[in-house]
Amino acid sequence: MDERKYNMAEEVKVFSTWASPFALRVIWALKLKGVEFDTVHEDLINKSPLLLQYNPIHKKVPVLVHDGKVICESLVILEYIDETWKQNPLLPEDPHQKANARFWAKFGDDKVMQSIGGGVLLKEGKEQEEGFAASMENLKYLEEEIRGKKFFGGETIGLADIALGWLAHYLDIVEEIVGLKLIDQEKFPSLAAWKQEFANAPIIRENWPDRDKLVTKYVVVREANLGKGTPK
């Protein structure tokens, strides 16, 4: 890794919550680039005036503040980071490869996360069965894309890896809570290998949220969504 550090005379701040997989993307990217930053921890039940000022449309994390410039939405922030700090690039130079990385990052949010989070974690019965089937179909596409590669970005972690990286930690939690297995060695050998490789990368491994706290959080979220409890 390029050991150059960003000059802290200039401001780099990340507005985050302890559990947000979207904010985690920004933290990973900055650390992979060797950029020093301050983290502002938000309570989304009691959002700070600064968060509401910086992100008045969505009112959520992550928000990146760089020298007074405000950037919102995690995938947009990742591209800003990559264009601002050139070391350890997240996107390739080739236009087609770059477009492909953006496609899989968006596919992860629009299809994979929606089917697993909305269709499996937050559903039960017939609806959950449908969500599970959709999730397996989406994971099949990822399996085909990652086959023969170490990372979606090739030999190094790239934009698509960071966007899909939540699978390497949060998916196990979803599987534990609902009692279903989505990624296993038999059905998705390449994706399972990627999941392990990504999770064990030092910068990734060192920044995971506490697993037990995540289990507790998402049990509460699930029960509240199913009408069985009150979200905390």
Side-chain angles (χ1 to χ4, degrees), residues 173-191:
I173 291 162
V174 173
E175 291 173 336
E176 177 180 326
I177 291 170
V178 301
L180 295 169
K181 190 68 177 173
L182 287 109
I183 295 180
D184 62 32
Q185 187 67 37
E186 184 179 342
K187 290 189 181 72
F188 303 116
S190 299
L191 197 54

Side-chain angles (χ1 to χ4, degrees), residues 119-129 222 226 228:
V120 176
L121 177 64
L122 302 183
K123 294 291 189 292
E124 60 184 354
K126 176 73 170 172
E127 287 182 319
Q128 189 185 67
E129 290 175 14
R222 172 175 164 79
L226 296 174
K228 299 178 180 178

Side-chain angles (χ1 to χ4, degrees), residues 9 58 63 72-73 89 96 141 146 149 167 171 194 223:
H58 297 298
V63 173
C72 303
E73 296 296 302
H96 180 259
Y141 291 121
I146 193 64
K149 296 190 287 189
L167 287 168
L171 182 63
W194 165 83
E223 290 179 349

Side-chain angles (χ1 to χ4, degrees), residues 157 197-207:
I157 292 172
E197 188 78 39
F198 182 84
N200 287 334
I203 282 176
I204 305 302
R205 186 177 64 242
E206 292 161 8
N207 290 282

Side-chain angles (χ1 to χ4, degrees), residues 37-63:
F37 61 95
D38 293 322
T39 303
V40 180
H41 296 284
E42 283 287 336
D43 176 1
L44 294 186
I45 303 299
N46 184 27
K47 299 173 184 177
S48 72
L50 268 182
L51 177 64
L52 298 177
Q53 174 189 328
Y54 288 151
N55 194 356
I57 296 174
H58 297 298
K59 303 178 176 64
K60 63 183 183 181
V61 299
V63 173

Side-chain angles (χ1 to χ4, degrees), residues 91-121:
L91 282 166
E93 288 294 325
D94 178 78
H96 180 259
Q97 292 177 3
K98 188 177 294 186
N100 196 51
R102 288 170 172 149
F103 171 85
W104 289 111
K106 190 162 178 17
F107 177 79
D109 281 4
D110 293 350
K111 294 292 187 180
V112 181
M113 187 177 286
Q114 289 301 315
S115 62
I116 293 174
V120 176
L121 177 64

